[in-house]
Amino acid sequence: MDFLEAMNFRHACKIFKEGEKIPEKLFENILEVGRLSPSSFGMEPWELLVVQSQELKETLRPFCWNQVQITSCSDLLVFVTKNKLIEPGSAYVEKMFKRKDMPQEMLDVYVKLYADFLGAKAEGNPSFYKDWAAKQAYIAAGNMMTYAATEGIDSCPIEGFDQSGVEKILGLDGKEKSAVLIVTFGYRVNEQPAKTRLPMSEICRYL
Ligand SMILES: Cc1cc2nc3c(=O)[nH]c(=O)nc-3n(C[C@H](O)[C@H](O)[C@H](O)COP(=O)(O)O)c2cc1C
């Protein structure tokens, strides 16, 4: 499937064929596409919880607006933001910068830029680091869903969930780490409805 075909094939799938598993290799590829996705300053500010147990899916569903995707999917991913780890000055931030092969002076410049740039934005906004990390998780989620579509695999991004309820089940404290997005993957039961999109002229202006 070429890229545009995949974009048309992908839709927010509401019911998956229960019991139809995504082959392991393809599922690993979906994860790899997430891992290879870009992140600001290369900070990789999110991680994934992979839910494959039917029992855990059943437990989560009432906290996810009772959406059928949660229990009918083959695999469910929870995107978790590293709110605390990515705060300027943390050992994690230093480790992430140190991976880049650059001289110490350059490293110092990046560490300072990171602290100044993000520190200023975070002032007076207690959820800043979570929100910043979530934006980047969404980039990876988009890539993963489109890649999945190229392989004929359906998906649904899910924001409709009770964050604190889901975090409690998954053992997240909601402060240092937060559950910001769920994406379910599997195979569609129904044909997708016609796409509803604004015309190009309404979303795009040439200057
Ligand atoms: C961040 C985000 C959160 C979403 N949350 C839900 C959700 O909780 N449940 C759902 O059925 N669809 C959800 N959707 C799917 C959208 O409703 C859907 O993408 C949109 O209506 C366009 O339709 P299409 O993706 O089928 O083309 C979400 C989409 C995004 C991008």
Side-chain angles (χ1 to χ4, degrees):
M1 211 185 288
D2 77 20
F3 193 84
L4 271 179
E5 259 181 281
M7 291 298 289
N8 277 298
F9 173 88
R10 190 219 57 79
H11 69 294
C13 182
K14 307 297 183 193
I15 310 175
F16 298 100
K17 276 184 200 148
E18 212 161 325
E20 190 165 340
K21 285 296 293 171
I22 296 170
E24 203 175 318
K25 179 69 188 128
L26 287 179
F27 183 65
E28 283 170 6
N29 287 349
I30 294 174
L31 298 180
E32 180 66 354
V33 167
R35 193 175 76 93
L36 291 173
S37 293
S39 62
S40 185
F41 287 97
M43 211 43 65
E44 301 180 48
W46 52 267
E47 58 197 19
L48 289 173
L49 297 177
V50 181
V51 178
Q52 292 175 321
S53 135
Q54 197 57 26
E55 199 185 334
L56 185 49
K57 290 179 205 164
E58 304 280 353
T59 308
L60 287 168
R61 183 167 154 177
F63 296 88
C64 302
W65 298 2
N66 204 28
Q67 298 187 66
V68 180
Q69 301 92 311
I70 299 292
T71 46
S72 61
C73 71
S74 164
D75 303 273
L76 181 155
L77 297 180
V78 184
F79 284 79
V80 174
T81 50
K82 304 173 181 174
N83 314 337
K84 186 80 184 155
L85 289 176
I86 59 174
E87 282 184 8
S90 75
Y92 175 83
V93 169
E94 192 178 328
K95 178 185 91 174
M96 297 306 271
F97 277 126
K98 275 200 166 142
R99 301 182 302 174
K100 310 253 180 199
D101 189 20
M102 60 173 110
Q104 185 63 43
E105 312 86 76
M106 188 64 95
L107 200 66
D108 293 343
V109 168
Y110 268 108
V111 168
K112 184 170 180 327
L113 180 64
Y114 184 83
D116 291 348
F117 180 64
L118 296 184
K121 286 175 185 276
E123 228 173 84
N125 180 358
S127 71
F128 172 77
Y129 290 104
K130 177 180 102 175
D131 299 340
W132 186 67
K135 287 180 197 169
Q136 298 171 62
Y138 279 48
I139 294 172
N143 286 339
M144 293 162 90
M145 290 188 290
T146 308
Y147 163 70
T150 66
E151 295 287 358
I153 297 168
D154 291 297
S155 60
C156 187
I158 295 180
E159 227 174 20
F161 63 92
D162 162 9
Q163 196 176 321
S164 59
V166 164
E167 285 167 347
K168 209 162 165 198
I169 292 165
L170 300 174
L172 302 166
D173 70 354
K175 290 195 174 76
E176 296 199 3
K177 293 198 172 169
S178 306
V180 292
L181 179 69
I182 292 174
V183 183
T184 47
F185 293 93
Y187 295 95
R188 69 187 68 180
V189 168
N190 301 314
E191 279 312 301
Q192 64 168 305
K195 282 249 176 270
T196 54
R197 291 294 188 271
L198 294 170
M200 192 65 82
S201 58
E202 265 188 59
I203 60 158
C204 190
R205 210 154 50 88
Y206 287 75
L207 301 177

